[in-house]
Every structure is written in structure tokens, then in C-alpha cells.
Amino acid sequence: MREKKPCFVVTYYTTAEAMATERLCKEKGIGGKLISAPRNITADCGIAWSSSPDNKELIIASLSEAKIEVQGFHDLVL
């Protein structure tokens, strides 16, 4: 069984916004990956971005600067 760990998860209204986040984070060297949205949170498109909680402030600032619309920010253990 995989060990659960804290994650910072961003959810989106559209898949295009999720993919834009992936491109942005790769350009900025911010670690993370696209995942299926966990069942306990809502994501209209069903996709979420998962990263280390250490990247939280950097991701929020980068998304705001790039004007990428998000549905929500979540601190979870996955």
C-alpha cells in the first residue's frame, strides 16, 4: 500500500485551465502533476494539479499572475 503524504491540490472549471497550469509550472520549474480530482473535492473538469505543500504560495502567485482561473485550492493527504 502506498504511503499517504500531504499535497497541495488545485481544481479547475475546465481542462484547458488545468493544462495551462501544467505548462506554467513546467516553465517555472515547479514540481507537480495532473491527477484525477479526488472524490472528496469537486472539480468541474475532473482534473486537478497536485504538488508539494512547499510550492503552495509560489503556485498561487504564479496562477494569479498568469490569470489562470481556478475552482479551488485544497490541502489534502493523498
Side-chain angles (χ1 to χ4, degrees):
M1 181 182 239
R2 195 176 67 116
E3 182 179 331
K4 293 185 178 193
K5 61 183 180 177
C7 294
F8 175 64
V9 176
V10 184
T11 54
Y12 305 91
Y13 294 106
T14 69
T15 302
E17 292 160 334
M19 293 174 69
T21 298
E22 181 179 42
R23 278 191 305 277
L24 176 70
C25 287
K26 282 185 180 181
E27 288 171 7
K28 291 186 172 265
I30 303 170
K33 63 182 178 179
L34 290 174
I35 62 169
S36 296
R39 289 185 211 148
N40 56 336
I41 59 175
T42 301
D44 285 356
C45 72
I47 299 175
W49 179 257
S50 176
S51 186
S52 165
D54 297 338
N55 296 329
K56 180 178 182 174
E57 297 304 320
L58 181 57
I59 291 171
I60 292 172
S62 297
L63 291 173
S64 177
E65 181 181 306
K67 295 182 175 37
I68 296 175
E69 187 177 6
V70 301
Q71 188 171 3
F73 299 109
H74 311 273
D75 292 308
L76 302 172
V77 176
L78 299 176

